[in-house]
PDB file of all heavy atoms in Angstrom:
ATOM      1  N   GLU A  12       2.024  17.533   1.162  1.00 98.00           N
ATOM      2  CA  GLU A  12       2.280  17.600   2.636  1.00 98.00           C
ATOM      3  C   GLU A  12       1.098  16.893   3.364  1.00 98.00           C
ATOM      4  O   GLU A  12      -0.091  17.060   3.075  1.00 98.00           O
ATOM      5  CB  GLU A  12       2.306  19.036   3.087  1.00 98.00           C
ATOM      6  CG  GLU A  12       2.647  19.273   4.550  1.00 98.00           C
ATOM      7  CD  GLU A  12       2.848  20.733   4.898  1.00 98.00           C
ATOM      8  OE1 GLU A  12       3.785  21.260   4.409  1.00 98.00           O
ATOM      9  OE2 GLU A  12       2.073  21.184   5.605  1.00 98.00           O
ATOM     10  N   LYS A  13       1.500  16.095   4.383  1.00 98.00           N
ATOM     11  CA  LYS A  13       0.501  15.327   5.164  1.00 98.00           C
ATOM     12  C   LYS A  13       0.976  15.386   6.657  1.00 98.00           C
ATOM     13  O   LYS A  13       2.103  15.372   6.992  1.00 98.00           O
ATOM     14  CB  LYS A  13       0.427  13.877   4.772  1.00 98.00           C
ATOM     15  CG  LYS A  13      -0.174  13.692   3.408  1.00 98.00           C
ATOM     16  CD  LYS A  13      -1.611  14.201   3.381  1.00 98.00           C
ATOM     17  CE  LYS A  13      -2.099  14.383   1.906  1.00 98.00           C
ATOM     18  NZ  LYS A  13      -3.235  15.293   1.939  1.00 98.00           N
ATOM     19  N   GLN A  14      -0.113  15.463   7.521  1.00 98.00           N
ATOM     20  CA  GLN A  14       0.095  15.552   8.955  1.00 98.00           C
ATOM     21  C   GLN A  14      -0.141  14.213   9.582  1.00 98.00           C
ATOM     22  O   GLN A  14      -0.676  13.243   8.997  1.00 98.00           O
ATOM     23  CB  GLN A  14      -0.948  16.492   9.579  1.00 98.00           C
ATOM     24  CG  GLN A  14      -0.970  17.914   8.965  1.00 98.00           C
ATOM     25  CD  GLN A  14       0.371  18.644   9.271  1.00 98.00           C
ATOM     26  OE1 GLN A  14       0.862  18.578  10.349  1.00 98.00           O
ATOM     27  NE2 GLN A  14       0.786  19.333   8.266  1.00 98.00           N
ATOM     28  N   PRO A  15       0.458  14.008  10.840  1.00 98.00           N
ATOM     29  CA  PRO A  15       0.208  12.659  11.450  1.00 98.00           C
ATOM     30  C   PRO A  15      -1.287  12.358  11.581  1.00 98.00           C
ATOM     31  O   PRO A  15      -2.071  13.202  11.874  1.00 98.00           O
ATOM     32  CB  PRO A  15       0.799  12.830  12.913  1.00 98.00           C
ATOM     33  CG  PRO A  15       1.877  13.843  12.631  1.00 98.00           C
ATOM     34  CD  PRO A  15       1.383  14.825  11.570  1.00 98.00           C
ATOM     35  N   GLY A  16      -1.609  11.066  11.253  1.00 97.00           N
ATOM     36  CA  GLY A  16      -2.905  10.622  11.206  1.00 97.00           C
ATOM     37  C   GLY A  16      -3.599  10.702   9.853  1.00 97.00           C
ATOM     38  O   GLY A  16      -4.623   9.923   9.653  1.00 97.00           O
ATOM     39  N   GLU A  17      -3.017  11.466   8.898  1.00 98.00           N
ATOM     40  CA  GLU A  17      -3.650  11.514   7.612  1.00 98.00           C
ATOM     41  C   GLU A  17      -3.308  10.318   6.759  1.00 98.00           C
ATOM     42  O   GLU A  17      -2.220   9.764   6.850  1.00 98.00           O
ATOM     43  CB  GLU A  17      -3.173  12.819   6.938  1.00 98.00           C
ATOM     44  CG  GLU A  17      -3.804  14.049   7.464  1.00 98.00           C
ATOM     45  CD  GLU A  17      -3.522  15.290   6.666  1.00 98.00           C
ATOM     46  OE1 GLU A  17      -2.378  15.750   6.829  1.00 98.00           O
ATOM     47  OE2 GLU A  17      -4.429  15.692   5.861  1.00 98.00           O
ATOM     48  N   VAL A  18      -4.227   9.966   5.884  1.00 98.00           N
ATOM     49  CA  VAL A  18      -4.070   8.825   4.956  1.00 98.00           C
ATOM     50  C   VAL A  18      -3.025   9.187   3.813  1.00 98.00           C
ATOM     51  O   VAL A  18      -3.162  10.255   3.220  1.00 98.00           O
ATOM     52  CB  VAL A  18      -5.375   8.374   4.328  1.00 98.00           C
ATOM     53  CG1 VAL A  18      -5.192   7.289   3.310  1.00 98.00           C
ATOM     54  CG2 VAL A  18      -6.321   7.956   5.406  1.00 98.00           C
ATOM     55  N   VAL A  19      -2.090   8.302   3.521  1.00 98.00           N
ATOM     56  CA  VAL A  19      -1.137   8.573   2.458  1.00 98.00           C
ATOM     57  C   VAL A  19      -1.207   7.507   1.341  1.00 98.00           C
ATOM     58  O   VAL A  19      -0.796   7.729   0.230  1.00 98.00           O
ATOM     59  CB  VAL A  19       0.323   8.656   3.045  1.00 98.00           C
ATOM     60  CG1 VAL A  19       0.418   9.834   3.936  1.00 98.00           C
ATOM     61  CG2 VAL A  19       0.773   7.448   3.696  1.00 98.00           C
ATOM     62  N   VAL A  20      -1.716   6.339   1.619  1.00 98.00           N
ATOM     63  CA  VAL A  20      -1.882   5.277   0.630  1.00 98.00           C
ATOM     64  C   VAL A  20      -3.077   4.412   0.912  1.00 98.00           C
ATOM     65  O   VAL A  20      -3.311   4.094   2.149  1.00 98.00           O
ATOM     66  CB  VAL A  20      -0.632   4.447   0.453  1.00 98.00           C
ATOM     67  CG1 VAL A  20      -0.244   3.692   1.741  1.00 98.00           C
ATOM     68  CG2 VAL A  20      -0.691   3.533  -0.778  1.00 98.00           C
ATOM     69  N   VAL A  21      -3.834   4.047  -0.125  1.00 98.00           N
ATOM     70  CA  VAL A  21      -4.945   3.117   0.039  1.00 98.00           C
ATOM     71  C   VAL A  21      -4.892   2.166  -1.102  1.00 98.00           C
ATOM     72  O   VAL A  21      -4.684   2.547  -2.236  1.00 98.00           O
ATOM     73  CB  VAL A  21      -6.341   3.774   0.015  1.00 98.00           C
ATOM     74  CG1 VAL A  21      -7.417   2.776   0.034  1.00 98.00           C
ATOM     75  CG2 VAL A  21      -6.462   4.798   1.166  1.00 98.00           C
ATOM     76  N   ILE A  22      -4.849   0.828  -0.739  1.00 98.00           N
ATOM     77  CA  ILE A  22      -4.890  -0.241  -1.744  1.00 98.00           C
ATOM     78  C   ILE A  22      -6.074  -1.044  -1.449  1.00 98.00           C
ATOM     79  O   ILE A  22      -6.410  -1.437  -0.326  1.00 98.00           O
ATOM     80  CB  ILE A  22      -3.648  -1.150  -1.507  1.00 98.00           C
ATOM     81  CG1 ILE A  22      -2.410  -0.296  -1.839  1.00 98.00           C
ATOM     82  CG2 ILE A  22      -3.746  -2.376  -2.443  1.00 98.00           C
ATOM     83  CD1 ILE A  22      -1.134  -0.886  -1.384  1.00 98.00           C
ATOM     84  N   ALA A  23      -6.949  -1.240  -2.502  1.00 98.00           N
ATOM     85  CA  ALA A  23      -8.139  -2.010  -2.411  1.00 98.00           C
ATOM     86  C   ALA A  23      -8.106  -3.168  -3.437  1.00 98.00           C
ATOM     87  O   ALA A  23      -7.762  -2.941  -4.622  1.00 98.00           O
ATOM     88  CB  ALA A  23      -9.409  -1.162  -2.723  1.00 98.00           C
ATOM     89  N   VAL A  24      -8.326  -4.374  -2.978  1.00 98.00           N
ATOM     90  CA  VAL A  24      -8.265  -5.598  -3.798  1.00 98.00           C
ATOM     91  C   VAL A  24      -9.518  -6.356  -3.759  1.00 98.00           C
ATOM     92  O   VAL A  24      -9.999  -6.593  -2.593  1.00 98.00           O
ATOM     93  CB  VAL A  24      -7.024  -6.475  -3.329  1.00 98.00           C
ATOM     94  CG1 VAL A  24      -6.984  -7.677  -4.111  1.00 98.00           C
ATOM     95  CG2 VAL A  24      -5.742  -5.682  -3.456  1.00 98.00           C
ATOM     96  N   ALA A  25     -10.025  -6.817  -4.854  1.00 97.00           N
ATOM     97  CA  ALA A  25     -11.283  -7.611  -4.890  1.00 97.00           C
ATOM     98  C   ALA A  25     -10.918  -8.924  -5.506  1.00 97.00           C
ATOM     99  O   ALA A  25     -10.227  -9.022  -6.530  1.00 97.00           O
ATOM    100  CB  ALA A  25     -12.303  -6.918  -5.668  1.00 97.00           C
ATOM    101  N   ALA A  26     -11.526  -9.972  -4.882  1.00 96.00           N
ATOM    102  CA  ALA A  26     -11.395 -11.346  -5.500  1.00 96.00           C
ATOM    103  C   ALA A  26     -12.658 -12.131  -5.171  1.00 96.00           C
ATOM    104  O   ALA A  26     -13.507 -11.703  -4.394  1.00 96.00           O
ATOM    105  CB  ALA A  26     -10.197 -12.034  -4.803  1.00 96.00           C
ATOM    106  N   PHE A  27     -12.775 -13.306  -5.822  1.00 96.00           N
ATOM    107  CA  PHE A  27     -13.961 -14.053  -5.499  1.00 96.00           C
ATOM    108  C   PHE A  27     -13.930 -14.560  -4.077  1.00 96.00           C
ATOM    109  O   PHE A  27     -14.982 -14.780  -3.369  1.00 96.00           O
ATOM    110  CB  PHE A  27     -14.039 -15.234  -6.485  1.00 96.00           C
ATOM    111  CG  PHE A  27     -14.335 -14.915  -7.883  1.00 96.00           C
ATOM    112  CD1 PHE A  27     -13.460 -15.355  -8.874  1.00 96.00           C
ATOM    113  CD2 PHE A  27     -15.327 -14.057  -8.247  1.00 96.00           C
ATOM    114  CE1 PHE A  27     -13.710 -14.883 -10.274  1.00 96.00           C
ATOM    115  CE2 PHE A  27     -15.625 -13.684  -9.515  1.00 96.00           C
ATOM    116  CZ  PHE A  27     -14.777 -14.124 -10.477  1.00 96.00           C
ATOM    117  N   HIS A  28     -12.732 -14.711  -3.450  1.00 93.00           N
ATOM    118  CA  HIS A  28     -12.588 -15.270  -2.157  1.00 93.00           C
ATOM    119  C   HIS A  28     -11.562 -14.435  -1.339  1.00 93.00           C
ATOM    120  O   HIS A  28     -10.601 -13.927  -1.884  1.00 93.00           O
ATOM    121  CB  HIS A  28     -12.085 -16.718  -2.196  1.00 93.00           C
ATOM    122  CG  HIS A  28     -13.004 -17.590  -2.961  1.00 93.00           C
ATOM    123  ND1 HIS A  28     -14.210 -18.015  -2.523  1.00 93.00           N
ATOM    124  CD2 HIS A  28     -12.858 -18.092  -4.257  1.00 93.00           C
ATOM    125  CE1 HIS A  28     -14.794 -18.734  -3.429  1.00 93.00           C
ATOM    126  NE2 HIS A  28     -14.065 -18.777  -4.477  1.00 93.00           N
ATOM    127  N   ARG A  29     -11.794 -14.321   0.007  1.00 93.00           N
ATOM    128  CA  ARG A  29     -11.056 -13.424   0.819  1.00 93.00           C
ATOM    129  C   ARG A  29      -9.563 -13.758   0.926  1.00 93.00           C
ATOM    130  O   ARG A  29      -8.700 -12.844   1.007  1.00 93.00           O
ATOM    131  CB  ARG A  29     -11.544 -13.359   2.245  1.00 93.00           C
ATOM    132  CG  ARG A  29     -11.371 -14.668   3.064  1.00 93.00           C
ATOM    133  CD  ARG A  29     -12.018 -14.591   4.385  1.00 93.00           C
ATOM    134  NE  ARG A  29     -11.863 -15.899   5.089  1.00 93.00           N
ATOM    135  CZ  ARG A  29     -12.611 -16.924   4.944  1.00 93.00           C
ATOM    136  NH1 ARG A  29     -13.623 -16.914   4.066  1.00 93.00           N
ATOM    137  NH2 ARG A  29     -12.401 -18.032   5.626  1.00 93.00           N
ATOM    138  N   LYS A  30      -9.144 -15.033   0.921  1.00 95.00           N
ATOM    139  CA  LYS A  30      -7.832 -15.406   1.067  1.00 95.00           C
ATOM    140  C   LYS A  30      -6.896 -14.746  -0.019  1.00 95.00           C
ATOM    141  O   LYS A  30      -5.820 -14.234   0.210  1.00 95.00           O
ATOM    142  CB  LYS A  30      -7.595 -16.912   1.010  1.00 95.00           C
ATOM    143  CG  LYS A  30      -6.281 -17.379   1.560  1.00 95.00           C
ATOM    144  CD  LYS A  30      -6.334 -18.892   1.820  1.00 95.00           C
ATOM    145  CE  LYS A  30      -5.110 -19.303   2.570  1.00 95.00           C
ATOM    146  NZ  LYS A  30      -5.083 -20.700   2.944  1.00 95.00           N
ATOM    147  N   ALA A  31      -7.363 -14.888  -1.305  1.00 96.00           N
ATOM    148  CA  ALA A  31      -6.597 -14.197  -2.380  1.00 96.00           C
ATOM    149  C   ALA A  31      -6.485 -12.701  -2.172  1.00 96.00           C
ATOM    150  O   ALA A  31      -5.464 -12.103  -2.452  1.00 96.00           O
ATOM    151  CB  ALA A  31      -7.243 -14.565  -3.682  1.00 96.00           C
ATOM    152  N   ALA A  32      -7.607 -12.063  -1.719  1.00 96.00           N
ATOM    153  CA  ALA A  32      -7.638 -10.616  -1.559  1.00 96.00           C
ATOM    154  C   ALA A  32      -6.610 -10.183  -0.537  1.00 96.00           C
ATOM    155  O   ALA A  32      -5.884  -9.241  -0.715  1.00 96.00           O
ATOM    156  CB  ALA A  32      -9.071 -10.193  -1.198  1.00 96.00           C
ATOM    157  N   PHE A  33      -6.521 -10.945   0.595  1.00 97.00           N
ATOM    158  CA  PHE A  33      -5.525 -10.681   1.680  1.00 97.00           C
ATOM    159  C   PHE A  33      -4.106 -10.752   1.148  1.00 97.00           C
ATOM    160  O   PHE A  33      -3.284  -9.878   1.347  1.00 97.00           O
ATOM    161  CB  PHE A  33      -5.700 -11.560   2.894  1.00 97.00           C
ATOM    162  CG  PHE A  33      -6.791 -11.043   3.822  1.00 97.00           C
ATOM    163  CD1 PHE A  33      -8.015 -11.690   3.912  1.00 97.00           C
ATOM    164  CD2 PHE A  33      -6.571  -9.997   4.723  1.00 97.00           C
ATOM    165  CE1 PHE A  33      -8.960 -11.265   4.805  1.00 97.00           C
ATOM    166  CE2 PHE A  33      -7.468  -9.606   5.559  1.00 97.00           C
ATOM    167  CZ  PHE A  33      -8.691 -10.195   5.628  1.00 97.00           C
ATOM    168  N   ALA A  34      -3.859 -11.843   0.517  1.00 97.00           N
ATOM    169  CA  ALA A  34      -2.504 -12.066   0.068  1.00 97.00           C
ATOM    170  C   ALA A  34      -2.106 -11.124  -1.009  1.00 97.00           C
ATOM    171  O   ALA A  34      -0.889 -10.555  -0.961  1.00 97.00           O
ATOM    172  CB  ALA A  34      -2.400 -13.497  -0.557  1.00 97.00           C
ATOM    173  N   ALA A  35      -2.959 -10.786  -1.902  1.00 97.00           N
ATOM    174  CA  ALA A  35      -2.597  -9.802  -2.961  1.00 97.00           C
ATOM    175  C   ALA A  35      -2.419  -8.385  -2.412  1.00 97.00           C
ATOM    176  O   ALA A  35      -1.525  -7.679  -2.831  1.00 97.00           O
ATOM    177  CB  ALA A  35      -3.716  -9.771  -3.979  1.00 97.00           C
ATOM    178  N   CYS A  36      -3.193  -8.045  -1.389  1.00 97.00           N
ATOM    179  CA  CYS A  36      -3.088  -6.687  -0.831  1.00 97.00           C
ATOM    180  C   CYS A  36      -1.705  -6.551  -0.154  1.00 97.00           C
ATOM    181  O   CYS A  36      -1.045  -5.466  -0.262  1.00 97.00           O
ATOM    182  CB  CYS A  36      -4.278  -6.465   0.184  1.00 97.00           C
ATOM    183  SG  CYS A  36      -4.497  -4.696   0.542  1.00 97.00           S
ATOM    184  N   GLU A  37      -1.274  -7.537   0.538  1.00 97.00           N
ATOM    185  CA  GLU A  37       0.025  -7.500   1.187  1.00 97.00           C
ATOM    186  C   GLU A  37       1.105  -7.437   0.093  1.00 97.00           C
ATOM    187  O   GLU A  37       2.087  -6.627   0.268  1.00 97.00           O
ATOM    188  CB  GLU A  37       0.214  -8.753   2.096  1.00 97.00           C
ATOM    189  CG  GLU A  37       1.532  -8.640   2.856  1.00 97.00           C
ATOM    190  CD  GLU A  37       1.667  -9.776   3.838  1.00 97.00           C
ATOM    191  OE1 GLU A  37       1.150 -10.884   3.612  1.00 97.00           O
ATOM    192  OE2 GLU A  37       2.430  -9.608   4.859  1.00 97.00           O
ATOM    193  N   PHE A  38       1.005  -8.216  -0.956  1.00 98.00           N
ATOM    194  CA  PHE A  38       1.928  -8.117  -2.017  1.00 98.00           C
ATOM    195  C   PHE A  38       2.044  -6.763  -2.609  1.00 98.00           C
ATOM    196  O   PHE A  38       3.170  -6.223  -2.896  1.00 98.00           O
ATOM    197  CB  PHE A  38       1.657  -9.130  -3.120  1.00 98.00           C
ATOM    198  CG  PHE A  38       2.332  -8.978  -4.389  1.00 98.00           C
ATOM    199  CD1 PHE A  38       3.616  -9.480  -4.524  1.00 98.00           C
ATOM    200  CD2 PHE A  38       1.705  -8.317  -5.459  1.00 98.00           C
ATOM    201  CE1 PHE A  38       4.208  -9.269  -5.698  1.00 98.00           C
ATOM    202  CE2 PHE A  38       2.348  -8.128  -6.555  1.00 98.00           C
ATOM    203  CZ  PHE A  38       3.650  -8.595  -6.763  1.00 98.00           C
ATOM    204  N   VAL A  39       0.933  -6.103  -2.851  1.00 98.00           N
ATOM    205  CA  VAL A  39       0.861  -4.805  -3.514  1.00 98.00           C
ATOM    206  C   VAL A  39       1.507  -3.814  -2.685  1.00 98.00           C
ATOM    207  O   VAL A  39       2.385  -3.031  -3.163  1.00 98.00           O
ATOM    208  CB  VAL A  39      -0.583  -4.374  -3.762  1.00 98.00           C
ATOM    209  CG1 VAL A  39      -0.586  -2.947  -4.337  1.00 98.00           C
ATOM    210  CG2 VAL A  39      -1.161  -5.282  -4.934  1.00 98.00           C
ATOM    211  N   ILE A  40       1.263  -3.708  -1.354  1.00 97.00           N
ATOM    212  CA  ILE A  40       1.941  -2.687  -0.600  1.00 97.00           C
ATOM    213  C   ILE A  40       3.401  -2.929  -0.360  1.00 97.00           C
ATOM    214  O   ILE A  40       4.225  -1.970  -0.493  1.00 97.00           O
ATOM    215  CB  ILE A  40       1.207  -2.506   0.864  1.00 97.00           C
ATOM    216  CG1 ILE A  40       1.778  -1.295   1.546  1.00 97.00           C
ATOM    217  CG2 ILE A  40       1.352  -3.655   1.646  1.00 97.00           C
ATOM    218  CD1 ILE A  40       1.642   0.045   0.852  1.00 97.00           C
ATOM    219  N   ASP A  41       3.756  -4.190  -0.202  1.00 96.00           N
ATOM    220  CA  ASP A  41       5.194  -4.497  -0.088  1.00 96.00           C
ATOM    221  C   ASP A  41       6.000  -4.212  -1.328  1.00 96.00           C
ATOM    222  O   ASP A  41       7.097  -3.617  -1.304  1.00 96.00           O
ATOM    223  CB  ASP A  41       5.392  -5.932   0.310  1.00 96.00           C
ATOM    224  CG  ASP A  41       4.950  -6.307   1.689  1.00 96.00           C
ATOM    225  OD1 ASP A  41       4.715  -5.389   2.487  1.00 96.00           O
ATOM    226  OD2 ASP A  41       4.901  -7.478   2.059  1.00 96.00           O
ATOM    227  N   THR A  42       5.413  -4.477  -2.546  1.00 97.00           N
ATOM    228  CA  THR A  42       6.075  -4.234  -3.758  1.00 97.00           C
ATOM    229  C   THR A  42       6.060  -2.749  -4.111  1.00 97.00           C
ATOM    230  O   THR A  42       7.130  -2.216  -4.595  1.00 97.00           O
ATOM    231  CB  THR A  42       5.375  -5.056  -4.890  1.00 97.00           C
ATOM    232  OG1 THR A  42       5.370  -6.432  -4.517  1.00 97.00           O
ATOM    233  CG2 THR A  42       6.170  -4.890  -6.190  1.00 97.00           C
ATOM    234  N   LEU A  43       5.045  -2.095  -3.779  1.00 96.00           N
ATOM    235  CA  LEU A  43       4.993  -0.580  -3.946  1.00 96.00           C
ATOM    236  C   LEU A  43       6.141   0.061  -3.199  1.00 96.00           C
ATOM    237  O   LEU A  43       6.804   0.866  -3.743  1.00 96.00           O
ATOM    238  CB  LEU A  43       3.661  -0.095  -3.503  1.00 96.00           C
ATOM    239  CG  LEU A  43       3.356   1.359  -3.742  1.00 96.00           C
ATOM    240  CD1 LEU A  43       1.921   1.615  -4.073  1.00 96.00           C
ATOM    241  CD2 LEU A  43       3.728   2.211  -2.532  1.00 96.00           C
ATOM    242  N   LYS A  44       6.348  -0.373  -1.900  1.00 92.00           N
ATOM    243  CA  LYS A  44       7.396   0.192  -1.095  1.00 92.00           C
ATOM    244  C   LYS A  44       8.685  -0.081  -1.754  1.00 92.00           C
ATOM    245  O   LYS A  44       9.672   0.748  -1.545  1.00 92.00           O
ATOM    246  CB  LYS A  44       7.309  -0.375   0.316  1.00 92.00           C
ATOM    247  CG  LYS A  44       6.047   0.072   1.017  1.00 92.00           C
ATOM    248  CD  LYS A  44       6.017  -0.510   2.390  1.00 92.00           C
ATOM    249  CE  LYS A  44       6.173   0.517   3.404  1.00 92.00           C
ATOM    250  NZ  LYS A  44       6.311   0.655   4.634  1.00 92.00           N
ATOM    251  N   GLU A  45       8.902  -1.145  -2.390  1.00 93.00           N
ATOM    252  CA  GLU A  45      10.164  -1.525  -2.921  1.00 93.00           C
ATOM    253  C   GLU A  45      10.552  -0.894  -4.340  1.00 93.00           C
ATOM    254  O   GLU A  45      11.696  -0.619  -4.638  1.00 93.00           O
ATOM    255  CB  GLU A  45      10.302  -3.022  -3.101  1.00 93.00           C
ATOM    256  CG  GLU A  45      10.358  -3.836  -1.799  1.00 93.00           C
ATOM    257  CD  GLU A  45      10.229  -5.314  -2.045  1.00 93.00           C
ATOM    258  OE1 GLU A  45      10.221  -5.744  -3.244  1.00 93.00           O
ATOM    259  OE2 GLU A  45      10.112  -5.995  -1.045  1.00 93.00           O
ATOM    260  N   THR A  46       9.501  -0.608  -5.180  1.00 94.00           N
ATOM    261  CA  THR A  46       9.780  -0.295  -6.482  1.00 94.00           C
ATOM    262  C   THR A  46       9.257   1.041  -6.989  1.00 94.00           C
ATOM    263  O   THR A  46       9.727   1.449  -8.074  1.00 94.00           O
ATOM    264  CB  THR A  46       9.158  -1.436  -7.475  1.00 94.00           C
ATOM    265  OG1 THR A  46       7.787  -1.440  -7.390  1.00 94.00           O
ATOM    266  CG2 THR A  46       9.795  -2.771  -7.094  1.00 94.00           C
ATOM    267  N   VAL A  47       8.280   1.576  -6.357  1.00 95.00           N
ATOM    268  CA  VAL A  47       7.690   2.863  -6.902  1.00 95.00           C
ATOM    269  C   VAL A  47       8.505   4.058  -6.384  1.00 95.00           C
ATOM    270  O   VAL A  47       8.819   4.255  -5.217  1.00 95.00           O
ATOM    271  CB  VAL A  47       6.246   2.907  -6.408  1.00 95.00           C
ATOM    272  CG1 VAL A  47       5.609   4.225  -6.988  1.00 95.00           C
ATOM    273  CG2 VAL A  47       5.454   1.816  -6.945  1.00 95.00           C
ATOM    274  N   PRO A  48       8.834   4.934  -7.403  1.00 94.00           N
ATOM    275  CA  PRO A  48       9.715   6.108  -7.098  1.00 94.00           C
ATOM    276  C   PRO A  48       8.948   7.238  -6.370  1.00 94.00           C
ATOM    277  O   PRO A  48       8.464   8.228  -6.981  1.00 94.00           O
ATOM    278  CB  PRO A  48      10.216   6.571  -8.427  1.00 94.00           C
ATOM    279  CG  PRO A  48       9.238   6.119  -9.397  1.00 94.00           C
ATOM    280  CD  PRO A  48       8.653   4.808  -8.842  1.00 94.00           C
ATOM    281  N   ILE A  49       8.721   6.968  -5.065  1.00 94.00           N
ATOM    282  CA  ILE A  49       8.075   7.984  -4.188  1.00 94.00           C
ATOM    283  C   ILE A  49       9.048   8.238  -3.095  1.00 94.00           C
ATOM    284  O   ILE A  49       9.558   7.372  -2.477  1.00 94.00           O
ATOM    285  CB  ILE A  49       6.739   7.479  -3.712  1.00 94.00           C
ATOM    286  CG1 ILE A  49       5.796   7.229  -4.885  1.00 94.00           C
ATOM    287  CG2 ILE A  49       6.149   8.460  -2.703  1.00 94.00           C
ATOM    288  CD1 ILE A  49       4.483   6.636  -4.416  1.00 94.00           C
ATOM    289  N   TRP A  50       9.254   9.572  -2.792  1.00 93.00           N
ATOM    290  CA  TRP A  50      10.114   9.940  -1.658  1.00 93.00           C
ATOM    291  C   TRP A  50       9.371  10.746  -0.787  1.00 93.00           C
ATOM    292  O   TRP A  50       8.393  11.395  -1.045  1.00 93.00           O
ATOM    293  CB  TRP A  50      11.299  10.729  -2.256  1.00 93.00           C
ATOM    294  CG  TRP A  50      11.999  10.045  -3.436  1.00 93.00           C
ATOM    295  CD1 TRP A  50      12.999   9.088  -3.191  1.00 93.00           C
ATOM    296  CD2 TRP A  50      11.797  10.113  -4.768  1.00 93.00           C
ATOM    297  NE1 TRP A  50      13.438   8.602  -4.488  1.00 93.00           N
ATOM    298  CE2 TRP A  50      12.639   9.195  -5.384  1.00 93.00           C
ATOM    299  CE3 TRP A  50      10.917  10.920  -5.593  1.00 93.00           C
ATOM    300  CZ2 TRP A  50      12.655   9.037  -6.839  1.00 93.00           C
ATOM    301  CZ3 TRP A  50      10.906  10.782  -6.919  1.00 93.00           C
ATOM    302  CH2 TRP A  50      11.766   9.832  -7.528  1.00 93.00           C
ATOM    303  N   LYS A  51       9.915  10.808   0.508  1.00 92.00           N
ATOM    304  CA  LYS A  51       9.234  11.643   1.548  1.00 92.00           C
ATOM    305  C   LYS A  51      10.275  12.351   2.289  1.00 92.00           C
ATOM    306  O   LYS A  51      11.404  11.911   2.522  1.00 92.00           O
ATOM    307  CB  LYS A  51       8.334  10.818   2.465  1.00 92.00           C
ATOM    308  CG  LYS A  51       9.142   9.894   3.362  1.00 92.00           C
ATOM    309  CD  LYS A  51       8.143   9.184   4.397  1.00 92.00           C
ATOM    310  CE  LYS A  51       8.939   8.159   5.199  1.00 92.00           C
ATOM    311  NZ  LYS A  51       7.968   7.355   6.001  1.00 92.00           N
ATOM    312  N   LYS A  52       9.867  13.552   2.703  1.00 95.00           N
ATOM    313  CA  LYS A  52      10.697  14.345   3.668  1.00 95.00           C
ATOM    314  C   LYS A  52       9.959  14.357   4.980  1.00 95.00           C
ATOM    315  O   LYS A  52       8.812  14.682   5.069  1.00 95.00           O
ATOM    316  CB  LYS A  52      10.902  15.744   3.077  1.00 95.00           C
ATOM    317  CG  LYS A  52      11.869  16.633   3.794  1.00 95.00           C
ATOM    318  CD  LYS A  52      12.127  17.897   3.111  1.00 95.00           C
ATOM    319  CE  LYS A  52      13.335  18.626   3.753  1.00 95.00           C
ATOM    320  NZ  LYS A  52      13.608  19.867   3.006  1.00 95.00           N
ATOM    321  N   GLU A  53      10.745  13.913   5.965  1.00 95.00           N
ATOM    322  CA  GLU A  53      10.161  13.873   7.308  1.00 95.00           C
ATOM    323  C   GLU A  53      10.585  15.117   8.106  1.00 95.00           C
ATOM    324  O   GLU A  53      11.748  15.411   8.041  1.00 95.00           O
ATOM    325  CB  GLU A  53      10.677  12.641   8.081  1.00 95.00           C
ATOM    326  CG  GLU A  53      10.130  11.333   7.582  1.00 95.00           C
ATOM    327  CD  GLU A  53      10.592  10.099   8.372  1.00 95.00           C
ATOM    328  OE1 GLU A  53      11.804  10.023   8.689  1.00 95.00           O
ATOM    329  OE2 GLU A  53       9.783   9.320   8.678  1.00 95.00           O
TER     330      GLU A  53
END
C-alpha cells in the first residue's frame, strides 16, 4: 500500500555520457510498464 506522494518506482541508469543514460532510463520505465506483471488497486 502507498499513499499519494509516496515513491513507487525508481530507475537509476549510469553511462559514460548523459545522452545514453537519459535514453535508456526512458526505455526502462516504458518497457517496465508494458511487460512486468505488476498490478495496482486504486
Side-chain angles (χ1 to χ4, degrees):
E12 187 175 294
K13 293 295 161 199
Q14 305 296 317
E17 288 189 282
V18 175
V19 296
V20 62
V21 175
I22 296 165
V24 175
F27 292 127
H28 304 285
R29 70 181 178 277
K30 195 169 190 172
F33 275 106
C36 199
E37 184 175 31
F38 166 82
V39 171
I40 188 59
D41 288 349
T42 307
L43 184 145
K44 292 178 116 192
E45 292 173 5
T46 65
V47 178
I49 297 174
W50 306 276
K51 71 179 172 183
K52 190 171 191 178
E53 292 181 313

